[in-house]
């Protein structure tokens, strides 16, 4: 009977070693970033990061009004992208630097982020946005609509919502793609995400404001007490994030370690796939 060749045996051995390494990594991931002592750091990071993002995003419109147009649209849409790039680089390892409820939901649906952490992250993002707008109000008053995002002149809410949805498909696709271990971008993911935000703003901000972020739009609307158009900036980004998750599955399959690491930060163990703490799931060994 024919014996397997040594090269074939070595190939099978290499595949088994790779499989074993992958299973070991997934087992480590299943141990879960469940240390409650670190949760306050993650939430503080989301508050701080979203505060800085909205301070720049809404502040561009406010300062432009105060300075009689000295900022301009180009600078106003470029600054948030540069700020997101900086935030990802300086604190992405703490909380994942979501800064956006649509991104948090996208990571959770994808299986990169535990569902039980979603409410805390979203509340932190909304709080950071509100604090930023309150600071702008205290400094300059209610000028420039406090940087509120609204449909442009002659643009219906439906048109603006579809624009926000389309833009968010691209944004969350970039985030999920650069977060994938297969892309191997590491900190360079900040460049991709920040560049996309700038690009989206440059061509689409006259239509919808290019928010792509329910938290970004929440702060100004809350302080102004006007939520007439807010549904546009919730429905559009959330639908866009869900579509992007579907695209990510088609492109890369199920959630994997790289995406979980990017979504959850690096200060605790990770979770990939269904939440191990969910009811009805057997406890981890």
């Amino acid at each position: 009977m024919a014996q397997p060749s040594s090269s074939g045996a070595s190939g099978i051995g290499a595949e088994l070693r790779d499989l074993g390494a992958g299973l070991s990594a997934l087992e480590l991931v299943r141990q879960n970033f469940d240390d409650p002592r670190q949760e306050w750091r993650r939430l503080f990071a989301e508050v701080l990061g979203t505060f800085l993002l909205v301070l720049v995003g809404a502040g561009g419109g406010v300062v432009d009004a105060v300075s009689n147009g000295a900022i301009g649209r180009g600078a106003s849409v470029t600054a948030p992208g540069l700020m997101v790039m900086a935030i990802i680089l300086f604190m992405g390892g703490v909380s994942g630097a979501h800064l956006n409820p649509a991104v948090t939901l996208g990571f959770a649906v994808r299986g990169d982020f535990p569902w039980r952490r979603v409410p805390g992250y979203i509340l932190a993002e909304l709080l950071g946005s509100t604090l930023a707008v309150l600071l702008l109000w205290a400094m300059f008053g209610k000028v420039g609509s406090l940087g509120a995002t609204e449909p442009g002149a002659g643009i219906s809410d439906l048109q603006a919502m579809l624009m926000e949805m389309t833009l968010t498909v691209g944004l969350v696709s970039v985030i999920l793609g650069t977060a994938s271990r297969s892309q191997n971008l590491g900190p360079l993911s900040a460049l991709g995400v920040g560049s996309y935000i700038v690009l989206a703003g440059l061509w689409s901000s006259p239509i919808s404001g290019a928010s792509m972020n329910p938290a970004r739009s929440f702060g100004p609307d809350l302080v102004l007490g006007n939520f007439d158009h807010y549904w546009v900036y919730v429905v559009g980004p959330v639908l866009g994030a869900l579509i992007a998750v579907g695209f990510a599955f088609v492109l890369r399959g199920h959630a994997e370690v790289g995406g979980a690491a990017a979504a959850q930060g690096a200060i605790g163990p990770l979770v990939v796939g269904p939440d191990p703490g969910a009811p009805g799931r057997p406890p981890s060994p």
Side-chain angles (χ1 to χ4, degrees):
M1 185 170 64
Q3 299 295 321
S5 65
S6 59
S7 60
S10 62
I12 293 173
E15 290 182 6
L16 290 175
R17 285 193 298 273
D18 289 343
L19 177 61
L23 291 175
S24 297
L26 287 174
E27 186 59 34
L28 174 63
V29 178
R30 289 191 183 98
Q31 292 176 5
N32 221 318
F33 95 140
D34 261 350
D35 185 354
R37 295 171 299 178
Q38 303 294 347
E39 187 66 7
W40 72 271
R41 285 195 170 91
R42 300 184 183 99
L43 295 177
F44 176 78
E46 287 299 303
V47 172
L48 176 61
T50 311
F51 171 87
L52 293 174
L53 170 59
V54 177
L55 187 68
V56 168
V62 172
V63 174
D64 194 57
V66 170
S67 62
N68 297 315
I71 300 297
R73 188 173 72 88
S76 294
V77 301
T78 300
L82 296 177
M83 179 59 81
V84 167
M85 189 185 309
I87 292 169
I88 293 173
L89 289 172
F90 94 80
M91 65 164 223
V94 177
S95 68
H98 298 192
L99 318 179
N100 184 339
V103 172
T104 299
L105 289 172
F107 274 135
V109 174
R110 171 78 175 143
D112 293 328
F113 191 75
W115 275 103
R116 66 185 176 280
R117 306 221 181 258
V118 169
Y121 264 56
I122 291 178
L123 288 175
E125 291 151 3
L126 296 179
L127 175 60
S129 173
T130 302
L131 291 174
V133 178
L134 287 173
L135 177 61
L136 291 170
W137 180 23
M139 292 174 66
F140 303 110
K142 291 184 178 180
V143 298
S145 299
L146 287 176
T149 51
E150 296 181 348
I155 303 298
S156 70
D157 280 4
L158 179 60
Q159 288 174 310
M161 186 277 288
L162 291 173
M163 178 61 77
E164 287 294 306
M165 181 187 72
T166 304
L167 294 175
T168 310
V169 170
L171 174 63
V172 177
S173 291
V174 170
I175 291 171
L176 294 178
T178 56
S180 170
R181 186 169 61 176
S182 63
Q183 301 300 106
N184 196 30
L185 292 182
L188 283 179
S189 63
L191 181 60
V193 176
S195 298
Y196 180 88
I197 293 171
V198 173
L199 177 61
L202 285 173
W203 80 269
S204 69
S205 62
I207 304 300
S208 66
S211 171
M212 302 172 280
N213 184 341
R216 157 67 181 91
S217 299
F218 177 80
D221 285 356
L222 177 65
V223 176
L224 291 172
N226 182 0
F227 287 91
D228 289 348
H229 305 285
Y230 185 62
W231 75 270
V232 169
Y233 302 97
V234 175
V235 175
V238 169
L239 289 178
L242 295 177
I243 293 170
V245 171
F247 288 171
F249 179 79
V250 171
L251 292 170
R252 286 176 293 277
H254 293 286
E256 40 82 54
V257 176
Q264 299 172 28
I267 61 173
L270 304 173
V271 174
V272 168
D275 192 341
R281 185 176 175 85
S284 299

